[in-house]
Amino acid sequence: MNNALRTAEARIREQIAAHCEANHVPGFVAGVHHAGEQVVVAHGTANVATGAPMREDTGFLFGSVTKVLTTTLVLQQVDRGLLDLDAPVVKYLPDFALTAPGAADRILVRHLISHTNGIDADLYFPDAKGRDALKTYVHGLASTCGTLFEPGEQLSYSNGGMIVAGRLLEVVTGLSFHDLLAREIYAPVGMKDSSTSAEQAILRGTAVGHFPDPETMAARPTNMFMLPDTWGPAGGTPIGTVADLLAFGRTHLAGGVSPSGTRVLSAESTALMQQVSYDMATPNVPPMGLGWVRYPFGDATVLAMSGASPGGVSLLCVLPEHDLVFAAFGNTPGAIMLQDQILRWLLSEHLGVPIPRLVTEPDQDVDLTPYVGTYRSNQLRVEVSIVDGQLEERLTYEPADESQERIFTEFAGGMTSGPPQRYVPVRPGLFAPAGYPLETFDGYLRLLLVSYHDLRDGRARFRNGGGRLTRRA
């Protein structure tokens, strides 16, 4: 191992130990592949109920990192001539419909994997298991979920789009999504410890998520290991290790060729996934490729996707121009802070990439009135008002039924609402949560910023928080 990577390993180990102890993170595992060499560092406990240690080969839920795997599967079928990115989804999936008549007919295959489809289903959690789970999900959309915008008009992080893409894959290949994932991604990439079910994962060491106790802040295990099978293609069910994610990242680093030399995806499709497909031109929503989110860090671009699971968070980053892949998992939601810290250290110290300040100074002269109002999306209401010269947001979860309320409540660790959050203006249409140091937003946590879009008659039509749109009611 070269000295630079050995130094990085030691520094990452120090960062993990310090952060986990100070912030009640039970366990954390991270890996870096750079210029042909690789290190994996594990720390702490995989499950506080059993005391099982977090090991370098401990498995964990990929969460939404799965979306890049799903997109890769879609592009494989494009390579094989079974799918056309610019064809309507209903060409292949005639039973795909939404509550608005004809709305689904205008959604193209490309829109599903570029988060530009407008499907308003981000909190839609139908509870179904087995081979027909994705069929059940798509069937339920017709009577449950509408649209936020016309396809291609805006960008909004879309779980629903990826799940529809998963069902589309089942129809054109004749295989279940899980079987397709195992055959076309896990096997050729060399993801030897990856699986698609809790039944498989329990046969080897697997971490569980944790949530902070409201009173003591000590970590307690989640009551739900994974989301229903209906959420598989969006990140509900796939499980694997850091080494497996590094192997997948290396495949995209190498133009679609796996570490073992197997061609997984054409060079053209691999490049297409990495190109900008939509750019909202706002700092809190990085340009979107196909599957990948393109985070600009000065002159460097980080292809990334993070993944929340019940009480855990994963991250996969690929830096093509620096021949580096970074993957990590922490088994409490706050571990994303540590992932951001390590990513920024790798960029600035290990690679020598200057990270410019994203937010310099708040702007006190911004007129706040265009942003006041009520914004809604599937089962979510956001009330925006002006309090003491700042914007104040109140988020309210509005469950559609008892089953979805149960699933979402468990996924969120019992917390479905928080206190009102104040925001200070950065510039017209862009706001930062009050009380945070401005350097917080230079890295991955730029997602904490909130933006407003499409002003009409002096009022914003959309709010974007965490990459997700809500529409003015």
Side-chain angles (χ1 to χ4, degrees):
M1 186 190 305
N2 65 54
N3 289 335
L5 197 58
R6 196 183 306 277
T7 300
E9 178 185 14
R11 181 66 182 121
I12 290 170
R13 195 179 298 278
E14 291 172 2
Q15 291 182 73
I16 292 173
H19 186 95
C20 288
E21 182 177 350
N23 295 279
H24 305 283
V25 178
F28 195 89
V29 57
V32 177
H33 181 92
H34 185 212
E37 296 189 305
Q38 186 164 301
V39 296
V40 177
V41 175
H43 175 88
T45 306
N47 183 342
V48 299
T50 65
M54 185 74 84
R55 297 159 43 105
E56 294 177 6
D57 63 349
T58 294
F60 52 86
L61 285 157
F62 290 161
S64 287
V65 172
T66 303
K67 291 179 171 67
V68 192
L69 280 68
T70 300
T71 303
T72 301
L73 287 170
V74 170
L75 268 294
Q76 284 178 340
Q77 306 317 312
V78 172
D79 285 344
R80 295 165 188 172
L82 293 178
L83 284 176
D84 179 352
L85 286 177
D86 294 310
V89 174
V90 292
K91 173 183 176 181
Y92 310 101
L93 203 57
D95 59 344
F96 171 46
L98 299 165
T99 56
D105 298 349
R106 298 187 291 274
I107 297 175
L108 308 181
V109 174
R110 181 185 302 275
H111 293 141
L112 297 178
I113 54 177
S114 62
H115 300 271
T116 56
N117 51 76
I119 299 170
D120 188 12
D122 207 49
L123 295 179
Y124 176 48
F125 291 98
D127 193 5
K129 297 182 183 297
R131 181 64 175 83
D132 291 332
L134 302 189
K135 183 179 181 181
T136 299
Y137 182 97
V138 171
H139 178 76
L141 290 175
S143 59
T144 307
C145 298
T147 58
L148 283 167
F149 51 83
E150 282 294 308
E153 178 189 70
Q154 299 281 348
L155 172 69
S156 184
Y157 186 86
S158 178
N159 289 304
M162 285 291 171
I163 298 169
V164 174
R167 176 58 184 157
L168 181 64
L169 287 164
E170 291 186 332
V171 171
V172 300
T173 66
L175 295 172
S176 73
F177 176 78
H178 287 167
D179 288 346
L180 190 65
L181 187 64
R183 190 181 82 174
E184 301 292 352
I185 300 291
Y186 291 168
V189 170
M191 301 170 71
K192 62 183 181 63
D193 291 318
S194 290
S195 61
T196 54
S197 72
E199 290 83 357
Q200 292 171 310
I202 202 170
L203 299 177
R204 58 183 317 283
T206 304
V208 303
H210 300 75
F211 292 98
D213 184 278
E215 295 182 3
T216 66
M217 296 307 292
R220 55 176 176 80
T222 176
N223 293 322
M224 177 175 69
F225 174 61
M226 66 186 349
L227 287 168
D229 288 355
T230 51
W231 268 55
T237 54
I239 303 159
T241 63
V242 156
D244 286 345
L245 282 188
L246 290 175
F248 179 78
R250 289 172 61 190
T251 301
H252 279 266
L253 198 64
V257 177
S258 76
S260 67
T262 304
R263 168 67 66 183
V264 177
L265 191 64
S266 71
E268 294 78 14
S269 289
T270 306
L272 183 63
M273 285 180 63
Q274 300 179 14
Q275 294 168 11
V276 175
S277 64
Y278 198 95
D279 187 356
M280 290 192 73
T282 181
N284 61 312
V285 186
M288 179 63 68
L290 297 180
W292 292 112
V293 184
R294 293 172 46 95
Y295 283 82
F297 284 84
D299 294 332
T301 296
V302 177
L303 306 172
M305 182 58 73
S306 66
S309 53
V313 61
S314 62
L315 179 65
L316 176 63
C317 299
V318 174
L319 286 75
E321 60 219 85
H322 293 281
D323 194 20
L324 186 142
V325 182
F326 167 55
F329 171 79
N331 56 2
T332 189
I336 194 170
M337 308 287 286
L338 177 55
Q339 292 168 353
D340 179 63
Q341 177 184 320
I342 296 172
L343 174 61
R344 287 203 274 176
W345 184 89
L346 284 169
L347 283 162
S348 61
E349 301 299 326
H350 182 66
L351 297 176
V353 174
I355 301 177
R357 180 57 49 86
L358 199 67
V359 177
T360 52
E361 292 294 335
D363 185 348
Q364 304 299 331
D365 296 326
V366 174
D367 179 13
L368 305 182
T369 55
Y371 317 110
V372 172
T374 300
Y375 300 80
R376 302 185 82 112
S377 61
N378 180 261
Q379 302 179 65
L380 181 68
R381 184 175 79 248
V382 184
E383 302 279 357
V384 182
S385 59
I386 300 173
V387 179
D388 299 330
Q390 300 176 342
L391 284 188
E392 182 176 272
E393 293 189 349
R394 293 175 178 264
L395 277 65
T396 303
Y397 172 57
E398 301 175 320
D401 54 50
E402 290 184 5
S403 173
Q404 292 192 62
E405 181 177 19
R406 172 182 55 80
I407 293 169
F408 180 70
T409 300
E410 292 292 355
F411 176 73
M415 301 279 289
T416 57
S417 63
Q421 175 65 58
R422 298 278 186 90
Y423 288 85
V424 296
V426 174
R427 68 185 191 203
L430 182 65
F431 297 82
Y436 282 74
L438 295 182
E439 59 268 22
T440 301
F441 314 115
D442 294 344
Y444 202 85
L445 297 179
R446 64 190 71 188
L447 292 174
L448 295 174
L449 300 170
V450 168
S451 58
Y452 292 82
H453 304 271
D454 196 6
L455 262 67
R456 300 186 184 185
D457 300 322
R459 300 197 307 171
R461 186 169 167 229
F462 294 103
R463 168 194 176 273
N464 194 307
R468 293 166 166 86
L469 284 183
T470 47
R471 186 177 58 198
R472 181 180 289 276

